[in-house]
Each structure stands twice: as C-alpha cells, then as structure tokens.
Amino acid sequence: MPAILEVENLVKKYGDFEAVKGVSFSVEEGEVFGLLGPNGAGKTQTISMLTGVIPATSGTARIGGHDIHKEMSQVKKLNGLVPQDLALYPTLSARANLNFFGRIYGLHGRELKERVEDVLRIVALTERADQVVDKFSGGMMRRVNIAAGLVHQPRLLFLDEPTVGVDPQSRNHIFESVQRLNRERGMSVVYTSHYMEEVETLCNRAAIIDEGRIIAMDTIKNLIAMLGGGVVYVGVSQMDEATLAEIAALPAVKEATLVPQPATPPAPEGKEPSAEVKPVTTTPVVKVVARQNQQAVVNVLGYLNQHDIAITSLEIMQPNLESVFLHLTGKKLRE
Amino acid sequence: MKTISIALKDLQILFKDRGTLFQLFVLPLLFILVFSGALGAISQADTVTIPTLALVDLDGAEAAQTILSKLQADGSLTVQSYSAADAQAQLDAKKVVGVLTIPADFTRSIQQSQPVTLVLTSAAEADVQVVEAVRLVIESIAADMTLESQIIASLEQMGAMQANAPEEYQLFTTERVLEQAHFQFETAQARPLINIVQSVPQQDEAQEATPDLSQSAVPGFTVLFVFLAAQTTARSIYEEKKIGSFRRLVAAPLSKAELLIGKILPNFITGLVQIAVILAFGSLGLRLLGLTPLPIEKALFGTILIAILLALCSSAFGIAVAAIARTENQISGLSTLLLWGMGLLGGSMVPLFILERFLGPIPMIVPHYWANRALDNLLIRRLSLPDITLELVVLLGFSLLFFAIGLWRFDFER
C-alpha cells in the first residue's frame, strides 16, 4: 500500500519551547493510524502542522504526494479535520453547519445537498438535521463535528480526540462511523487520543507520543507484546541489586527493575522543612515485566516469602497500551 | 464564492441574535429621538425672539422702499435701516441676524425688467434655521415684486399697442390678456427678476454656520453606532477562535485574504443597512414626528459615498480590535473605551461646533470626527461633494491604517 502521509522530522518551536521535537511516521492508504499520548504530548500540534493550521518550524511532510510547505492548498483539499473542540455554530442547524463547511470546500448545488445527506446518514442524524445544534446533547454535537470534517469526502481524515466528553452510546456511534468509513470507503484516518482502549479498538498501528517525541511506534499487537504477559508492581520492605537480579532470573519473569522513587519536595528557600510535609514513601517498588502474568506473580511472591522480604503493595497490570505507556514513560496516560 | 459563504453564514448568525440587532438598528433610533427632541427644544428656546434684519439701502428709490415696507409688514422680522458700516457693526456685535443690501440701481433695474441681486449677509455664528427663515421671507417678497412688476409692464405694453392700433386690428381680447398674464406669472417663477445671494463674512463658504442642534443628532448617532458595530466583527472572530471553528476555516482551502474579507463583509453590509435605516429615519421619521428632517435626497450620491467609507472604516476597525484583543474582556474593554470614547471626542454625542470651541483640533485624531464632519457639511451645511473631499480622504486613510494594523497583528494560529 502506498503512503498517504509521510512525516519526516517535524518540529514546532515557540521561542525556546519545543512543542514537537522531530516526529517521523507514515500512514498507509486505507489505514487507521493512532497517535496515543497524554494531554500536552504534542498530538494536536502535530495535526495542526499537517492540516495547515500552524506552520512547521522545520521538517517536512507529504500528503497524497504533496509537500505541506509548497503545496498546502492541494494538501488542504485532501485533508479533513475534526478538531478536539466542538467547532460548530451553535445557533445554526446541523444541516446549515454542514452546508457551510461543504461550501468552503467548493461544494454547491446538488452535489452539496447529496454530500450533506450522506454524512448525516453516516453519523445517524438525518432525523435531527434541521434542529439547532445548541439543542443537541454533547454526543450528538460530536457526531455533527465529525460530519463537518467528512462532508467534502477527504482522503485523509484527522480526528483529534473526537470522543472527549461523550457518553458511551455516542462513543460507540463514533467508533462505528470511523470503522465504516475506513472499511467501506477506504478513508485513511489519523486518530489521536489519550484513551488507550480507543486506539486499541480502532487502529491498525499507533505511535506513542510523549513530550513532543514519538517513543514507540508499531502495530497495536507488537506494541502490547513489548510487555510480554503484563507487568507486576511489587512494593517491598527492602531490595538490593543481588536480590533484584535473582528475581529477574525467575521463570516467567522477563525483566525486573526498581521503580525510581520521586524525591521529597525541597523546603522553600530559607525555610526549614515543615513537619507537616510528609516525605514521599521510600519503600522500594519492583517492576516485573512478565512472560506470563499469573505465573510470574506466583514465582515472585514465593521468592519474596522465602527470603523474608515483606510485601507492602501489589499491582498487577494486564498487557495493554496503558501499561506499555507506563512502562515506557513511568507515568500514566491520564496523569 | 467562499468569501460570500463566510459572510452569509455570519449574517445568518447575526440575524438570530436579537440583542445585537436591537443595538444595531433600534438603539440608534431611540438615541436620535431622545437627543433630537431634547436638542430641538433647546434650539426652539433660543429662537423665540423675532430676529432683527439690518437693511442697507444703496438705491433709496421706490422699489427699495417697497421692499422695506413689505418686510416690515410681514411681521416675522424686525427691519432697521443702517449705513453699510453701521450694519456691519451691528452684525459683528450679533445684534442683527443678517444684513440685506439693496444695490444702487435696484429700482431702475426693476422698472426696465432687468435682473438684479440682493445680498443677504449673515453672521458666521448665526443660527442656520433663523437665517434660512429670513431668506425665505425676503425671497417671497422679491418673488411678489417680480411678478407684479412683470405683469404691470406687460399690461402697459399691451395698452400702448392697443391705443395705437386701428379699430379693425384690436388684437388683445380678454383671452389674450389672461394668456399673457399666465405667461408672465410662469416667467416670474422661472426667471425671477430679483435674486437673493447669501454670504457669510470672512468665510468663503457657509460651512462655518452653526447647524441646527436637532439635525446634528442624526449624523452623530449614525457615525457612533456604525462604529459600535465594529465590535460585532471582533466578537465574531473571537467566537470562531473560542469554539474552534476558526481552526477549521484555516484548515480549509481558503486564502487568509478570503477568510478575512469573509469576516469583514458582514459588518460592511450591516453598516450600510444601518446607515440607510438611520438616515431614512432622519429624513422621513423626523419629518413625521415634527422634528427637523435631514435633506438626504438633495445630496444622495455624496451620502452614499460617505456611507461606503464609514462602513469600510468601521469594518477595518473591527479587524484591528480582533487582532489586538486577546480575550473577550479585552474586546469589550477596547470597544467600550475606544468606540464610545472616540464617539464622544469625535462629535457624535455633542455637536462638533460646540466640541471644537472647547477642544480645538483634538477631535481630529479620531475617525468619528471626519465622518461627522463629512455628514454635517453635506447634509446640514449643504456643501457640495468636492467640498468634503478632505473628510473622505481622511476616512479612507483611517480605513487603510486599521486594515494595516489588523493584518500586521492578526494571529491566524491562535
């Protein structure tokens, strides 16, 4: 499959602050590609550069073979953007909104009418098309928001966190719409989210992005396989290097490391540490990457019992993108 | 086409916003009504006394005496005869509303049915309405005299011809005499023997004459409210950015120019409609209400030109505010501070001739001043279009300046 989108070392700087630090990825024609990362990771900035909303500081990208620096007007015709905000005119009806967004992409007359009816069908809002958007539920507004990005039949659709603040029923509607567009019309999709379940459900491949950098990129299956059978976090009363090495060598354990402990916040300058400020717990936490989760838990707990090492906490994480992100960055996606 | 789509969408949104519509179209009319009524009352209070006219009779013959006696008999004026120097002194001392000068050959010209001109000189500060009333009285008496003189001359001519002709050639039947009288009547109206020329001493034009206070409310509030509409553009752009639709527009295949023109156009169109509504009210509505109407129909082309430049300047100002203000509060603050402040300074709420006495040239720094001056000069002082060229050029200059600031500071990324 040829690539509809090729991104090379894209950078966005605001003064000294680098919001996007040289991301590179490609999306094949007909693929649903996920950009997974927490808020502020650089997902929206990346999409904004690819859709011509903001200029890139450096690096390049080609969409449908057109360079974003030299042929942005061609690129814009191929792109569809569904922004994170509900970018609709609340006092106009759903149909009036869609007619307007169709017109600014050059549609008119019968073609515009047909396209508007088509996207209303896709998002299952034909019956409510003439109602003012302001009267819609959050989920319905999200669906109109998506329809507005589809009305001109883009080849590449950018969906930026399209399910924020949406009820489960509307979320399912949105999932179904995206899957149908991809399956039936071969539309390529770049889907950004900080919900790992969404990316797991919808995407063929994904890039995990954090602090402006892509830290992992592969098929969803391969990304999850990075963690083998899952991850176990065990809080212990004591731990040393030799014991850690023995745990790592246990059957069903792929890797064992000590989780770095956050430092106690320093007292303000010129002041003694306050008695009320409790120091962060200092008991060590061992992160165990398992080949097989249940077996690894049995082996590790057995080993700790045998060596009289008290267990202070235990957290078992199934292998998924959330645990992959935690494994790679040491923080949770929704922190 | 895309520009038109953006403009139509904004107009569609605007016409659903009753508050803004009230502010754009109803509020100005209410302001005009209140101010016209109040200022009109002040004007009337000032004109209760019968004006005094100084007469300089350089002719001293029969026709001049007739004029004097008819003016005195009219009752709407007090007429006093002076020498030219004394009359000027009375005018300078503001003791008379004007000086009517009868030229030396006045009676002879009338007798020979030759055109003759009376000069009515008014003081620069004189009330335009009072001077106009005086001029109308003189004009009416002059018209009567023209008619009388021409009909008598005609009858005398016919009588002389009749007396000299043999009986079988008696041409002047009753029908012919009546026909001749009608002809003379029409000639007297079309080509009056006595013309009135009005002049203002030390001024080439009548432009420094004081306008009627009630009339000045219409141009003033037209300018104020058309500029107030600029905040609609600024708010519309801010709203687009707030809800995120601006990102969508930037991501669409539209040039930045198309996008900005699309956002300006609704304000421009609304401004023109606003001006049409307010001025129509100033012309027809005030007439119906018994207040002094604006003679827009006499300067239609000039009024349209001012309307276009005024709407353009307001739209450009809206873009400049949208470019400078970062928050809704800043838009409100800038709009309130600048638009009402500039309106006050530019003569929208207090007539320009009063402001200029206190502030000198300071009001010239705001576009409102030039727009008000253009409308005042054209509609109240009745100057011609070439006379307001400076005002129009300055308004255009302000428009370009605001556009430049808008384009320079406009943030398409935020």
Side-chain angles (χ1 to χ4, degrees):
Chain A
M1 278 281 193
I4 178 84
L5 168 64
E6 294 164 288
V7 182
E8 266 180 63
N9 206 23
L10 210 57
V11 172
K12 182 65 190 176
K13 278 185 181 177
Y14 294 96
D16 292 336
F17 174 69
E18 216 172 358
V20 179
K21 298 167 182 168
V23 299
S24 300
F25 62 94
S26 66
V27 176
E28 289 178 3
E29 195 95 51
E31 186 181 18
V32 180
F33 183 83
L35 269 180
L36 180 69
N39 290 330
K43 306 186 294 289
T44 300
Q45 292 286 317
T46 303
I47 282 186
S48 295
M49 286 187 276
L50 297 175
T51 52
V53 174
I54 57 172
T57 307
S58 64
T60 188
R62 296 177 76 80
I63 296 178
H66 300 288
D67 190 303
I68 62 162
H69 296 295
K70 295 173 189 158
E71 300 162 287
M72 186 44 95
S73 58
Q74 293 301 315
V75 166
K76 283 180 172 182
K77 288 177 189 166
L78 301 178
N79 285 347
L81 171 64
V82 178
Q84 189 174 343
D85 301 312
L86 287 167
L88 301 167
Y89 303 104
T91 56
L92 301 184
S93 69
R95 194 188 302 279
N97 268 284
L98 298 176
N99 276 333
F100 169 67
F101 287 115
R103 278 192 208 103
I104 62 165
Y105 277 88
L107 298 176
H108 49 83
R110 193 172 164 186
E111 189 187 13
L112 173 64
K113 199 177 171 192
E114 285 174 1
R115 290 299 313 140
V116 168
E117 289 304 325
D118 185 39
V119 291
L120 282 168
R121 251 193 318 274
I122 290 171
V123 296
L125 281 173
T126 306
E127 304 294 313
R128 311 285 296 270
D130 294 311
Q131 279 185 14
V132 171
V133 167
D134 213 12
K135 306 283 180 205
F136 283 4
S137 68
M140 285 163 72
M141 285 188 194
R142 283 274 162 209
R143 278 144 67 190
V144 182
N145 202 32
I146 291 174
L150 294 173
V151 72
H152 61 286
Q153 285 188 304
R155 272 175 67 190
L156 176 61
L157 179 66
F158 291 92
L159 289 161
D160 192 5
E161 306 262 10
T163 58
V164 171
V166 162
D167 59 277
Q169 194 189 353
S170 285
R171 180 175 293 201
N172 288 339
H173 259 300
I174 291 169
F175 283 2
E176 282 167 22
S177 303
V178 174
Q179 283 168 329
R180 206 161 61 237
L181 283 166
N182 175 248
R183 195 175 54 242
E184 294 172 7
R185 307 191 184 197
M187 192 178 283
S188 311
V189 179
V190 174
Y191 189 101
T192 83
S193 180
H194 61 276
Y195 297 120
M196 60 96 189
E197 318 86 46
E198 292 184 0
V199 174
E200 277 181 22
T201 308
L202 290 172
C203 302
N204 315 97
R205 288 191 309 135
I208 296 176
I209 186 165
D210 186 46
E211 294 179 359
R213 279 200 183 85
I214 289 179
I215 52 175
M217 181 167 58
D218 211 326
T219 61
I220 304 299
K221 193 176 164 189
N222 286 349
L223 282 172
I224 293 171
M226 283 170 73
L227 291 187
V231 181
V232 182
Y233 289 89
V234 191
V236 288
S237 55
Q238 57 184 20
M239 186 55 56
D240 55 44
E241 288 297 320
T243 313
L244 198 62
E246 284 180 22
I247 292 172
L250 289 170
V253 172
K254 191 176 172 185
E255 188 184 315
T257 50
L258 265 178
V259 175
Q261 292 295 312
T264 304
E269 211 171 312
K271 287 189 176 177
E272 290 298 315
S274 166
E276 289 176 10
V277 178
K278 291 179 183 171
V280 174
T281 176
T282 52
T283 58
V285 175
V286 178
K287 182 172 95 173
V288 176
V289 178
R291 291 181 206 283
Q292 207 284 327
N293 231 0
Q294 283 178 332
Q295 191 56 51
V297 171
V298 170
N299 291 349
V300 171
L301 296 186
Y303 176 87
L304 294 172
N305 277 334
Q306 279 176 9
H307 292 80
D308 287 331
I309 299 170
I311 298 164
T312 56
S313 65
L314 179 67
E315 188 180 0
I316 303 166
M317 294 188 74
Q318 293 303 319
N320 57 31
L321 289 177
E322 178 81 43
S323 46
V324 170
F325 187 80
L326 186 66
H327 171 65
L328 292 173
T329 66
K331 56 191 180 189
K332 290 184 176 175
L333 266 170
R334 289 170 219 182
E335 269 177 1
Chain B
M1 191 61 199
K2 292 171 186 172
T3 299
I4 302 289
S5 296
I6 295 173
L8 287 177
K9 180 265 298 171
D10 277 359
L11 287 172
Q12 210 177 343
I13 292 170
L14 176 72
F15 284 110
K16 285 173 181 278
D17 184 351
R18 289 179 191 167
T20 304
L21 288 180
F22 183 83
Q23 187 197 312
L24 291 177
F25 297 109
V26 182
L27 208 56
L29 305 188
L30 291 177
F31 268 73
I32 288 168
L33 265 180
V34 172
F35 273 70
S36 292
L39 294 175
I42 294 168
S43 294
Q44 281 161 14
D46 290 343
T47 58
V48 169
T49 52
I50 294 172
T52 303
L53 179 72
L55 187 89
V56 178
D57 184 3
L58 301 176
D59 181 56
E62 185 191 345
Q65 286 303 312
T66 309
I67 288 254
L68 175 60
S69 57
K70 287 195 174 187
L71 281 173
Q72 284 168 336
D74 186 80
S76 55
L77 300 169
T78 303
V79 185
Q80 288 176 356
S81 292
Y82 292 100
S83 67
D86 288 347
Q88 186 58 50
Q90 292 289 318
L91 191 66
D92 293 343
K94 298 176 188 169
K95 290 184 178 171
V96 295
V97 71
V99 177
L100 180 67
T101 306
I102 301 175
D105 56 349
F106 182 71
T107 303
R108 188 173 52 83
S109 299
I110 295 286
Q111 284 167 350
Q112 293 175 359
S113 295
Q114 286 176 349
V116 65
T117 301
L118 299 178
V119 179
L120 173 64
T121 310
S122 58
E125 307 80 18
D127 188 321
V128 170
Q129 208 172 22
V130 175
V131 174
E132 180 68 6
V134 170
R135 192 184 65 80
L136 286 173
V137 170
I138 300 168
E139 206 170 67
S140 158
I141 291 168
D144 287 350
M145 283 183 68
T146 300
L147 183 62
E148 188 182 324
S149 156
Q150 285 182 332
I151 287 177
I152 289 170
S154 182
L155 289 173
E156 280 174 354
Q157 199 179 9
M158 283 191 288
M161 288 170 75
Q162 192 84 335
N164 296 331
E167 195 154 333
E168 61 272 25
Y169 293 105
Q170 291 299 312
L171 298 172
F172 298 109
T173 60
T174 309
E175 289 76 22
R176 283 297 300 272
V177 171
L178 280 172
E179 195 181 316
Q180 182 67 15
H182 277 297
F183 172 74
Q184 290 299 344
F185 185 74
E186 282 164 14
T187 308
Q189 282 192 317
R191 296 194 298 275
L193 265 186
I194 306 170
N195 292 301
I196 317 292
V197 169
Q198 203 173 332
S199 80
V200 179
Q202 295 166 345
Q203 303 289 339
D204 291 338
E205 297 150 353
Q207 67 183 44
E208 294 308 319
T210 306
D212 172 11
L213 289 175
S214 65
Q215 280 184 312
S216 69
V218 177
F221 286 114
T222 305
V223 172
L224 178 72
F225 279 92
V226 169
F227 269 106
L228 280 177
Q231 61 182 315
T232 314
T233 306
R235 276 186 198 285
S236 165
I237 291 171
Y238 173 78
E239 280 297 318
E240 293 255 23
K241 287 186 169 184
K242 193 172 88 175
I243 65 173
S245 53
F246 200 80
R247 280 189 76 206
R248 206 162 220 162
L249 295 180
V250 175
L254 283 169
S255 68
K256 287 178 179 175
E258 279 178 307
L259 178 48
L260 275 192
I261 293 169
K263 295 303 294 177
I264 289 170
L265 211 52
N267 187 68
F268 181 71
I269 294 167
T270 317
L272 290 179
V273 175
Q274 217 184 353
I275 295 167
V277 169
I278 300 173
L279 291 185
F281 179 78
S283 176
L284 304 172
L286 291 187
R287 194 188 307 270
L288 289 172
L289 292 167
L291 296 165
T292 315
L294 277 185
I296 292 155
E297 66 283 356
K298 289 179 183 165
L300 198 57
F301 181 68
T303 309
I304 290 170
L305 208 57
I306 296 172
I308 289 170
L309 282 172
L310 179 56
L312 187 71
C313 198
S314 160
S315 307
F317 188 77
I319 289 292
V321 171
I324 294 166
R326 297 276 183 243
T327 65
E328 198 166 8
N329 285 341
Q330 283 179 0
I331 289 174
S332 298
L334 274 175
S335 302
T336 308
L337 191 73
L338 289 179
L339 293 170
W340 286 95
M342 290 199 301
L344 184 66
L345 191 62
S348 282
M349 285 172 267
V350 179
L352 277 179
F353 69 93
I354 296 176
L355 267 183
E356 284 170 328
R357 283 180 202 161
F358 295 105
L359 299 174
I362 294 172
M364 289 185 183
I365 62 170
V366 295
H368 294 60
Y369 169 84
W370 297 95
N372 276 321
R373 213 171 93 158
L375 283 170
D376 278 2
N377 283 343
L378 193 73
L379 297 177
I380 298 175
R381 295 189 171 90
R382 319 271 177 92
L383 297 188
S384 62
L385 189 56
D387 295 326
I388 58 163
T389 307
L390 174 67
E391 286 83 351
L392 297 181
V393 168
V394 175
L395 264 183
L396 184 64
F398 269 110
S399 307
L400 295 175
L401 175 71
F402 293 144
F403 270 126
I405 292 172
L407 289 174
W408 170 47
R409 299 276 300 173
F410 200 91
D411 188 356
F412 284 89
E413 294 181 28
R414 192 170 52 87

